[in-house]
Amino acid sequence: MKILVTGGAGFIGSNFIYYLLENRPEYETVCLDKLTYAGNLKTLDSALKSGKVTFVKGDIANRDFVDELFEKQRFDVVVNFAAESHVDRSIESPEVFLQTNIMGTASLLDASRKHGVKRYHQVSTDEVYGDLPLDAADSFFTEETPIHTSSPYSASKASADLLTLAYFRTYGLPVTVSRCSNNYGPYHFPEKLIPLIITRALNDENIPVYGQGLNVRDWLYVEDHCKAITMIIEKGRAGEVYNIGGHNEKTNIDVVKTVLSILGKPESLITYVKDRAGHDLRYAIDPAKISGELGWSPETKFDEGIKKTVKWYLENKTWWEDIINGDYKDYYEKMYSGR
Ligand code: NAD
Ligand code: TYD
């Protein structure tokens, strides 16, 4: 089985590569990644040493390059993680989101069609459903919830998601789509909430909380997401969408306070800042379809997963210190100064 993992030098893609190495040693993996600011080849160090993973640097939106790669490698399965993934950046500069997330997906779909890929899996997001109100705790996203996006990021992901489904209906390409809730775990880039809290708290720096910190996210340990994707590509039905989430809703302020308490840092580090434009209120997944049909359920509870994650950041300081001491400094200054 030869599998192409795009975006494998980023957070979830790299965890997926390590998940396959551990659980599917018979798979041969090729990682295609452009190595944008979010991609880090050091993350894949030990995967590349295993001899079962090879790395190719390139842009999923470069059609000629993608076509040649597919021609040469003859992939059985493609899993597309490659994307611009940060909502705040999409508010500042939407264009690259359209280019990578939409045009890049289109280029992979065309190559998959042309070269007879047996399964194309699109890693989508629950953000395609927009948000749920804060005062309706029994409402959840199902696969039937209408697509209703809020940010340039989610709009670009929804376009890619729908295009993938169109390739099934129109051309019969055997696709699957997963829409997962917020992930956390090792190798998470420190611009996102949980690694931002950990890395800033460890340096005794303030933690910026948008608005009143009452927005709700449904957190899933990244390994549980990787397990779900593996089940979908192996047993999921072509043409289907699967929601992934483990009923783990938390307000942002709860998450911040939990991490500060694990680290023994004071709540006085919390700083409320101007809210994100168009900020989605609440995400919450109903995972009944993937549980019932494929037997998936999450293994890591939030209390355990968050402690494991904090421990990983404590034990892997050079990984994130190299990031926050690089271009990230300018990013942080630009996004947060005067906010
Ligand atoms: P990430 O930003 O950490 O990683 C993205 C990776 O894609 C990076 O390695 C980057 O170099 C690469 N990339 C970007 N543009 C590329 C291009 N044009 N060609 C090739 N490679 C390119 O993102 P992540 O958090 O790991 O998310 C992975 C996928 O999962 C994304 O599609 C995202 O929309 C989806 N998702 C993420 C979450 C989450 O909580 N992080 C939840 C649900 C879905
Ligand atoms: P984020 O990790 O960017 O994921 P997403 O927006 O895709 O859900 O943000 C998670 C939540 O945390 C979201 O409600 C915005 C909030 N947030 C803050 O309060 N402060 C921050 O500095 C960041 C990056 C996010």
Side-chain angles (χ1 to χ4, degrees):
M1 173 78 88
K2 197 184 244 192
I3 181 164
L4 174 66
V5 177
T6 68
F11 166 44
I12 310 176
S14 61
N15 277 281
F16 183 69
I17 288 174
Y18 283 111
Y19 182 87
L20 290 182
L21 273 175
E22 182 84 16
N23 297 281
R24 296 291 183 277
E26 68 278 15
Y27 282 25
E28 189 189 334
T29 303
V30 176
C31 169
L32 165 61
D33 198 295
K34 188 179 174 182
L35 297 180
T36 66
Y37 79 93
N40 187 345
L41 208 44
K42 279 194 211 124
T43 300
L44 291 177
D45 257 357
S46 52
L48 296 175
K49 283 188 194 123
S50 73
K52 286 178 186 149
V53 179
T54 49
F55 180 80
V56 181
K57 184 170 188 287
D59 185 341
I60 57 165
N62 181 339
R63 285 181 164 265
D64 292 341
F65 162 79
V66 166
D67 185 60
E68 268 174 44
L69 182 71
F70 275 60
E71 172 74 38
K72 199 166 110 201
Q73 298 273 3
R74 302 273 151 200
F75 302 115
D76 298 298
V77 174
V78 173
V79 183
N80 182 24
F81 290 95
E84 288 293 332
S85 68
H86 190 34
V87 173
D88 291 335
R89 287 187 191 249
S90 84
I91 295 168
E92 293 301 307
S93 327
E95 200 175 333
V96 65
F97 286 71
L98 312 187
Q99 180 61 19
T100 286
N101 299 2
I102 307 175
M103 300 312 285
T105 299
S107 136
L108 292 171
L109 285 166
D110 280 332
S112 298
R113 224 181 116 211
K114 179 172 168 193
H115 297 283
V117 163
K118 296 187 198 80
R119 174 59 61 89
Y120 174 91
H121 183 75
Q122 177 69 11
V123 181
S124 190
T125 163
D126 63 354
E127 299 191 29
V128 300
Y129 298 122
D131 60 356
L132 297 163
L134 290 177
D135 59 0
D138 56 350
S139 59
F140 297 97
F141 296 137
T142 74
E143 289 79 0
E144 306 309 319
T145 302
I147 302 291
H148 188 85
T149 54
S150 314
S151 69
Y153 163 69
S154 57
S156 69
K157 289 295 292 184
S159 306
D161 175 319
L162 295 177
L163 192 64
T164 303
L165 295 171
Y167 271 57
F168 173 74
R169 168 91 184 237
T170 307
Y171 305 114
L173 182 70
V175 309
T176 38
V177 172
S178 54
R179 297 177 182 153
C180 189
S181 61
N182 288 63
N183 285 213
Y184 67 102
Y187 301 117
H188 204 178
F189 195 82
E191 69 188 350
K192 305 284 173 62
L193 181 68
I194 288 184
L196 181 130
I197 307 167
I198 301 172
T199 54
R200 290 189 66 82
L202 282 172
N203 286 335
D204 298 306
E205 290 166 328
N206 74 307
I207 315 290
V209 172
Y210 299 166
Q212 296 178 292
L214 298 178
N215 302 61
V216 171
R217 296 295 183 263
D218 186 359
W219 294 98
L220 184 73
Y221 193 61
V222 62
E223 201 176 299
D224 282 320
H225 186 187
C226 296
K227 185 175 83 166
I229 292 173
T230 307
M231 287 176 137
I232 295 169
I233 59 180
E234 291 176 349
K235 299 195 286 174
R237 287 180 295 139
E240 292 294 315
V241 174
Y242 295 89
N243 281 356
I244 310 172
H247 285 304
N248 213 326
E249 290 175 54
K250 308 265 173 217
T251 60
N252 292 337
I253 193 67
D254 274 355
V255 172
V256 175
K257 287 183 178 170
T258 302
V259 173
L260 289 176
S261 112
I262 295 171
L263 288 171
K265 297 287 181 180
E267 288 186 8
S268 56
L269 290 178
I270 296 170
T271 310
Y272 292 95
V273 301
K274 188 165 164 257
D275 209 350
R276 173 187 278 172
H279 198 172
D280 278 339
L281 295 173
R282 171 175 169 251
Y283 303 143
I285 285 277
D286 174 358
K289 181 174 175 181
I290 189 167
S291 311
E293 211 177 294
L294 305 182
W296 175 86
S297 61
E299 282 169 25
T300 303
K301 297 237 172 339
F302 188 76
D303 291 355
E304 182 198 337
I306 195 70
K307 284 188 193 131
K308 270 173 42 173
T309 304
V310 168
K311 186 165 179 274
W312 187 88
Y313 279 84
L314 283 168
E315 287 170 355
N316 291 275
K317 274 195 171 172
T318 41
W319 184 87
W320 56 267
E321 279 175 348
D322 284 355
I323 295 171
I324 62 170
N325 292 327
D327 295 346
Y328 181 84
K329 265 195 179 139
D330 297 337
Y331 162 82
Y332 193 87
E333 190 56 28
K334 182 173 161 235
M335 297 299 257
Y336 291 89
S337 66
R339 185 164 181 160

